[in-house]
Amino acid sequence: YFSALANPNGDRMFTPSQVLAEIRKQMSSFANVYRTTENLMAVQRHFQALERQFVPLAHLAYQGIEIYHALKTAQCVIAAMLARAQSLGAHYRA
């Protein structure tokens, strides 16, 4: 399991706090109450790039694995938002 998190091509200087800040920023800006397919797809690509860049095992003492799972969770939420094209309650899909 942990060998899958090694990411030998990633940037070891990219910190968990930077990843978490980016997740929060992107989700708040583009995956909030009002969202568009284009924005969701852009966030999805951005999170895939973050995953390629981040090396969770290089930051075990700083919650690297937990932040990696937060990134994967955000990706799942974006995928669910893309799968549901209609608006629901206060959440508006343009």
Side-chain angles (χ1 to χ4, degrees), residues 15-70:
T15 67
S17 61
Q18 289 173 305
V19 174
L20 187 57
E22 194 61 28
I23 292 169
R24 288 177 176 160
K25 175 183 162 192
Q26 295 296 318
M27 292 297 284
S28 175
S29 296
F30 302 112
N32 211 329
V33 175
Y34 175 79
R35 48 190 176 249
T36 66
T37 301
E38 295 80 20
N39 285 344
L40 292 173
M41 291 177 69
V43 170
Q44 187 179 48
R45 288 188 300 273
H46 185 71
F47 285 167
Q48 290 167 349
L50 279 178
E51 185 177 355
R52 287 190 299 273
Q53 186 179 5
F54 185 49
V55 185
L57 292 183
H59 303 284
L60 288 176
Y62 302 101
Q63 299 179 321
I65 294 173
E66 291 87 347
I67 299 302
Y68 175 79
H69 287 137

